[in-house]
Amino acid sequence: MSDTVEGDDRLSAREVEEELQQLTEAEWARAEIFANSITYGLADFDGNDVLHTAIEKLLSGVRVWRRGVSAMTTLNMAMKSIASNEWKKQEKGPINKSAVASTTDASPDEDNERPYAAASDVETPEDVLIAERFATQVEAAVADDEEAGLVLMLWLDGKRGVDDAHAELGWDKKRYDAARKRLMRRLAPRNNQG
């Protein structure tokens, strides 16, 4: 990719590299938390994979970095898109990751001697739909509050409290408590829907 062209709304490869180098440790930690949360449950593709893939695509110009868009927004959108593609591949792929293959040649039907596979997923389509709607509502509730969203991502990673917030994000108690309280207020209407 060449250097900046007058009137071009895309950053050049050099500019992308400079923007990425300017990210702070806390911003990288937030990016890692976001990457882990959007890939949680994906088989053979984790947070590190999506983060590195996004960086590679941004540097190579495969993914566009629009001029004037912040580094965290660009990186998160690229990761979200890449993770979404991976989820689609997994869902439409030929291998059912939730199927358990029989370890014997015995069949539940004694007349049928072929091996069989039994699905271990007991979720109904309604359960999946309810979970998707809830996730969409929660995501919308924190969409305009980055710090509350980061607290939510910490919680999804099983991390809670000031110590984890300080270790992952470099936050102090006051900042963590403020973000946690805002998150709880935003989630309160959903808790009451029961």
Side-chain angles (χ1 to χ4, degrees), residues 95-172:
I95 298 173
N96 181 354
K97 299 286 184 181
S98 61
V100 177
S102 170
T103 57
T104 68
D105 286 339
S107 171
D109 179 9
E110 291 181 17
D111 297 334
N112 187 356
E113 296 181 10
R114 294 185 318 199
Y116 66 95
S120 62
D121 191 1
V122 293
E123 284 184 320
T124 65
E126 291 83 13
D127 293 335
V128 173
L129 182 62
I130 290 168
E132 286 175 356
R133 284 184 181 162
F134 181 74
T136 301
Q137 290 173 346
V138 169
E139 187 176 310
V142 297
D144 63 339
D145 188 340
E146 182 180 356
E147 289 185 349
L150 290 172
V151 171
L152 178 63
M153 286 185 243
L154 277 175
W155 290 359
L156 291 172
D157 281 349
K159 298 173 183 173
R160 292 202 176 227
V162 178
D163 293 337
D164 286 331
H166 180 70
E168 295 289 328
L169 304 169
W171 290 2
D172 61 11

Side-chain angles (χ1 to χ4, degrees), residues 5 9 22 25 40 54 66-67 85 108 112 139-140 146 165 189:
V5 176
D9 65 341
Q22 291 177 11
E25 254 184 72
Y40 182 78
R66 298 281 178 214
R67 199 167 298 288
N85 291 340
N112 187 356
E139 187 176 310
E146 182 180 356

Side-chain angles (χ1 to χ4, degrees), residues 67-87:
R67 199 167 298 288
V69 179
S70 76
M72 289 305 294
T73 300
T74 300
L75 191 56
N76 286 349
M77 293 304 292
M79 288 191 296
K80 192 173 183 179
S81 175
I82 292 164
S84 174
N85 291 340
E86 288 299 319
W87 278 107

